[in-house]
Amino acid sequence: MSDADFATGRNILNRLVTEKSTAHGMDEGEIDGFAEAVAEYLETLGVTAHRANDGSAFGIDFAVEDPRTGLYGIGIECDAPRHRILEGARAREIWRPAVLRRAIPHIHRVSCHGWYHAPEEERSRLRAAIDHALYQEAAE
């Protein structure tokens, strides 16, 4: 990738993604109520969140563009990803985030449990993660 050989990188990723997930019987592109609530909250913060979940192991619910660079500055996932390849904790919690961070420097996971049982805390965590990724890093 550092040599700008994107075709080879794409081929490697395609081999890693053996099948698309249809978790909970949802079709590709559909969004559940929890993710929709997170999307609405992101709108209230004034950030444009692009839906980037294609059902693959590297799909992420939302990607937010860094206004300084035009690149994605933070990826937001609504609870843990549910792809077959990610059944093991090591793949889900270490390998996948390490790969994603090569394209998106910050990944933040929003907890469904927290969103509904401690909404102010979970929204505050999300807002702080976005502020840090998009605005405070420039000052550091």
Side-chain angles (χ1 to χ4, degrees):
M1 298 305 284
S2 61
D3 294 333
D5 188 3
F6 299 114
T8 301
R10 233 178 262 106
N11 286 336
I12 291 170
L13 286 176
N14 286 336
R15 284 187 298 197
L16 288 171
V17 180
T18 57
E19 66 185 45
K20 298 217 178 208
S21 172
T22 54
H24 309 294
M26 292 176 62
D27 292 329
E28 185 178 318
E30 276 189 54
I31 187 166
D32 64 15
F34 170 45
E36 187 62 43
V38 172
E40 290 171 6
Y41 179 69
L42 292 170
E43 285 181 26
T44 68
L45 294 178
V47 297
T48 303
H50 302 275
R51 295 181 183 181
N53 193 346
D54 63 355
S56 72
F58 296 99
I60 195 156
D61 292 295
F62 304 102
V64 179
E65 191 175 298
D66 186 329
R68 297 165 299 178
T69 64
L71 302 172
Y72 290 133
I74 185 169
I76 300 166
E77 47 188 19
C78 298
D79 273 338
R82 295 177 186 89
H83 192 275
R84 183 182 63 78
I85 291 174
L86 304 172
E87 289 173 357
R90 178 175 287 159
R92 185 179 56 252
E93 304 299 330
I94 297 171
W95 173 69
R96 180 179 179 270
V99 172
L100 284 173
R101 282 192 185 98
R102 292 180 183 191
I104 303 173
H106 300 277
I107 305 295
H108 179 77
R109 184 176 295 161
V110 180
S111 162
C112 178
H113 184 269
W115 193 261
Y116 292 109
H117 294 285
E120 290 305 314
E121 290 175 36
E122 196 63 28
R123 285 168 177 79
S124 178
R125 283 183 58 242
L126 176 57
R127 185 175 49 250
I130 291 169
D131 287 345
H132 175 74
L134 302 183
Y135 309 113
Q136 291 178 358
E137 252 191 12
E140 293 176 356

